[in-house]
Amino acid sequence: MRSHLRMTDRGRRVGRFGVLGLAFVLIVCTGSAVAAPPNFIHAEGTHLVDAQGERFAVKGINLGNWLVPEGYMFKFMRKRAPSEIAGVIEALIGPEEAARFWSEFHDDYVTQTDIRFIKAAGFNTVRVPVHWRLFVEPGDANDGSADRFEGQGWALLDRLLQWCREADLRVIIDLHAAPGGQTGVNHDDGVGFPLTFYVPRYRALTVALWKALAAHYHDEPAILGYDLLNEPISPYSDETYLNPRLEPLYREIVAAIRSVDPNHVVLLAGAQWSTSFAMFGRPFDANAVYTYHKFWAKPTRDAVQSYLNFSNRWNVPILIGETGEFNDTWNERFRELHERLGIGWVFWPYKSLDTDTAVVSIAKPDGWDLIARAGSTDAKVFEPGALPPRAQALAILNAYLEAAKFENGRINGDYLNSLGLAVPYSMIWKKPAADLIRGGSRFSEKIMLH
């Protein structure tokens, strides 16, 4: 259970200065202070601010692959969607061991040590991609009356929020895979077409899920906001038909959220993989942030000018919710560009397999190419002999789980430096630094975890 106090409905209607004034009266009259109001982040003009009115500049990292596995982060060339990856793992080691694998994966890929490290390195925000199936057991009724909002995602997200609250990190909940699929590509785990916009059942379930999430977390100030749909409507889809339907869906979701949660920011991503705001009109919510994604763009102002124009025209904050996966020189230039323009940033990703373009690199276990080969075939059904022996596959996958733990990963120090951050060396004393860190000329001694 979260430890902070819930605000009453009356308390929510009192403005920030009204709350302070009420506290002053109570102190004068009773001689004792009352608890400070929860420190929610909110939009104010083109910036985000905290409850004290201090500007909050987002410096974030995405916890990609944790609750929404992505094939390329396993070195899979064909099986890229979460359900496809799960199918490969089950084919390799059987359903019981596969269930155990994913349980341990969720427990070990992101731990409290990871969260403390993220804070110590200098980040102030994590963005958490989530999959709808971790939070919903859909029923048989077409009207959604038999749906149950339960699943392992609730406990995993609750635990993460506790860690982030203790570490003083903010959290963006990102619906990366919505019912039916909002993008039309592998990472939404749909059928390859954005059915969220076409099928009323999926649309209604998406709205209901956000209402359930907002009701559960309405009084949690560790949450910065709700990122309603990740990268909706790919360029491969019918843009003429779908783009005009994005903002109406956002309006419906936000209305459902506001019926239970007046506190949190809503983040509205543009279409075409979150690159275009062309379909947006006048902002309809006073506590909204408009978010875009840009990878490998030229690190000059013209790459973001259209978003700045939108922000200045409507006096709303903007945020780059995903970027990166290029090189450290580009990271630094693109990050500095955003900071000069007063735009918060969230790079992608925190952790991945055998890479220099993440904060933490997972060492590729011996024999991993056999696993990757299984994920790189077009086969719908694996033929006998096409997979490694089950015992061998199990040993390799167990080695991956061990390698994915923070204490066994390699910190890419140059990557952190490119984000203006630093390696907190006090956390990684177990092994010689040369074994654990690649590059990194700056360092921080912020906290000791061990």
Side-chain angles (χ1 to χ4, degrees), residues 7 14 44 49 58 73 170-171 182 228 255 283 301 395-396 429:
M7 296 182 69
V14 179
E44 189 171 281
V49 299
V58 175
M73 299 175 87
R170 301 289 179 160
V171 178
Q182 76 283 356
L228 303 188
R301 184 177 178 128
I396 297 169
W429 60 271

Side-chain angles (χ1 to χ4, degrees), residues 404-433:
K405 295 177 180 178
F406 173 80
E407 58 265 28
N408 298 323
R410 185 193 73 215
I411 298 166
N412 288 320
D414 286 339
Y415 182 94
L416 277 174
N417 289 173
S418 76
L419 302 186
L421 308 177
V423 177
Y425 281 93
S426 61
M427 293 184 55
I428 51 177
W429 60 271
K430 287 186 176 183
K431 294 181 181 179

Side-chain angles (χ1 to χ4, degrees), residues 373-417:
R373 188 179 305 156
S376 302
T377 176
D378 286 327
K380 300 295 183 183
V381 179
F382 293 102
E383 298 294 332
L387 301 175
R390 182 162 293 186
Q392 183 182 16
L394 182 60
I396 297 169
L397 288 169
N398 285 339
Y400 171 85
L401 291 173
E402 189 66 24
K405 295 177 180 178
F406 173 80
E407 58 265 28
N408 298 323
R410 185 193 73 215
I411 298 166
N412 288 320
D414 286 339
Y415 182 94
L416 277 174
N417 289 173

Side-chain angles (χ1 to χ4, degrees), residues 170-184:
R170 301 289 179 160
V171 178
I172 296 171
I173 300 174
D174 152 45
L175 187 54
H176 217 72
Q182 76 283 356
T183 308

